[in-house]
Amino acid sequence: MQTSKLITLDEFTIMETRKFPQATGELSSLLRDIGLAGKLVNKQVRRAGLVDILGEYGATNVQGESQMKLDIFANEALINILKYSTDCAGIASEENDEYLAFDDTFSANSKYVVLFDPLDGSSNIDVNASIGTIFSIYRRVSELGKPCTIEDFTQPGNRQMAAGYIIYGSSTMFVYATRLGVNGFTLEPSIGEFCLSHANMKCPETGKYYSLNQGNTCKYSEGMNAYLDYCMENKKEENRPYGLRYIGSMVADMHRTLIKGGIFIYPGDKSNVNGKLRLMYECNPMAFILEAAGGVASWGGGNIMDINPTELHQRTPIFIGSKNMVNKALEFAK
Ligand code: AHG
Ligand code: MN
Ligand code: MN
């Protein structure tokens, strides 16, 4: 019997690497390690309710948010795997106060650092809605052979080498971007491999959905309120009124936006001028992915990836998605 050829994540990244004669294969092996952590998290997610993984852990993180058991599990899975990987010099995580430099000879000689939101969409864990893991990979700027430093972790998003996410949804997918483009791999549970299912993903130039926490309208600026009126206006030939879709897991809202087009917004408001989402763990990686797919990501006054980070856990407003829709929203928000 003939089997159709499956391309695994590993095979794909190695094929991509071969396009660059000077590449050493370290990025491929890093992506494999992140995929492995994703499979461990996936195993827990798929058994949630049967094993003791739902609910709060009983501590708060550096941003004052209460941590869920799955936040901790995912964070530890990523840290443990990357620590023993030969290709990662250190990590920074939404759940850790400080970055972590892996202090062994292999790691000190590694050229990459990884930043991640180990579990995105914590509030959706207990209700069986889609959640995810978001990651961002930079080439370090500090001296090889020594432990990595804070400068390696606070580079602007436009220096990312790769970024991606794993979505634990109705299926589990690994989506990652390099400057060559964006590709999606679906986990085939029977063989435990991520297999290429969405080659060369492109974000449509326009879409039918807007996505934001509309319950916060009273805190939004006049410009934002005018934009919401625009989204709800009846203009059939322009797809309006747009449908409102908001899951409350950035990964899930962005996955839809990438595939179907649309706009996702987490604006600054009167009480939080920089909004809620984190530049290094959420906004930069999503901006890199969406831009590699032809979309746009702005903080309202410029590109997300041009922001020069001043601290690891800083937040930024974000307008991201289909090119035409983001540009229109920015006309209002300015
Ligand atoms: P996290 O679970 O990593 O803390 O992230 C939650 C984020 C993001 O996933 C989502 O887009 C946003 O919080 C939702 O916030 P609101 O509940 O304020 O709408
Ligand atoms: Mn998050
Ligand atoms: Mn998180």
Side-chain angles (χ1 to χ4, degrees), residues 97-294:
D97 299 7
E98 308 286 346
Y99 73 91
L100 211 61
F102 299 142
D103 201 3
D104 58 87
T105 327
F106 268 128
S107 302
N109 280 300
S110 303
K111 55 178 189 226
Y112 295 114
V113 294
V114 184
L115 292 86
F116 48 81
D117 175 355
L119 211 292
D120 174 68
S122 296
S123 66
N124 279 320
I125 295 173
D126 288 355
V127 298
N128 213 341
S130 297
I131 50 182
T133 297
I134 310 172
F135 64 89
S136 166
I137 300 176
Y138 291 82
R139 195 190 287 265
R140 60 189 286 193
V141 287
S142 61
E143 196 181 329
L144 275 184
K146 296 193 173 155
C148 55
T149 65
I150 185 69
E151 283 72 32
D152 299 321
F153 295 94
T154 45
Q155 303 184 56
N158 53 34
R159 297 234 191 100
Q160 288 171 100
M161 299 300 294
Y165 58 81
I166 301 157
I167 178 165
Y168 315 101
S170 38
S171 67
T172 297
M173 274 187 76
F174 187 108
V175 175
Y176 86 95
T178 62
R179 287 183 203 283
L180 294 178
V182 186
N183 291 280
F185 302 78
T186 301
L187 183 65
E188 163 56 271
S190 65
I191 55 169
E193 292 278 2
F194 287 108
C195 298
L196 183 64
S197 53
H198 296 59
N200 197 16
M201 297 171 88
K202 294 281 176 222
C203 177
E205 286 194 353
T206 195
K208 289 194 267 194
Y209 301 125
Y210 72 116
S211 184
L212 84 176
N213 191 336
Q214 198 151 347
N216 289 335
T217 306
C218 63
K219 294 195 238 164
Y220 293 159
S221 66
E222 272 174 36
M224 267 304 293
N225 272 288
Y227 178 65
L228 293 182
D229 289 340
Y230 168 89
C231 291
M232 294 185 283
E233 195 184 7
N234 198 359
K235 275 271 159 69
K236 206 158 178 235
E237 60 284 6
E238 294 172 19
N239 279 335
R240 287 185 286 143
Y242 296 141
L244 171 61
R245 294 280 189 280
Y246 189 67
I247 297 168
S249 288
M250 189 192 199
V251 161
D253 285 313
M254 287 313 307
H255 189 61
R256 181 196 57 250
T257 304
L258 173 59
I259 291 178
K260 299 267 189 202
I263 183 167
F264 173 89
I265 307 176
Y266 209 112
D269 63 39
K270 289 172 191 155
S271 34
N272 299 301
V273 284
N274 289 324
K276 172 181 182 187
L277 298 179
R278 279 119 317 194
L279 175 64
M280 305 310 288
Y281 316 111
E282 294 168 322
C283 299
N284 268 336
M286 287 301 179
F288 186 86
I289 298 163
L290 262 283
E291 285 198 11

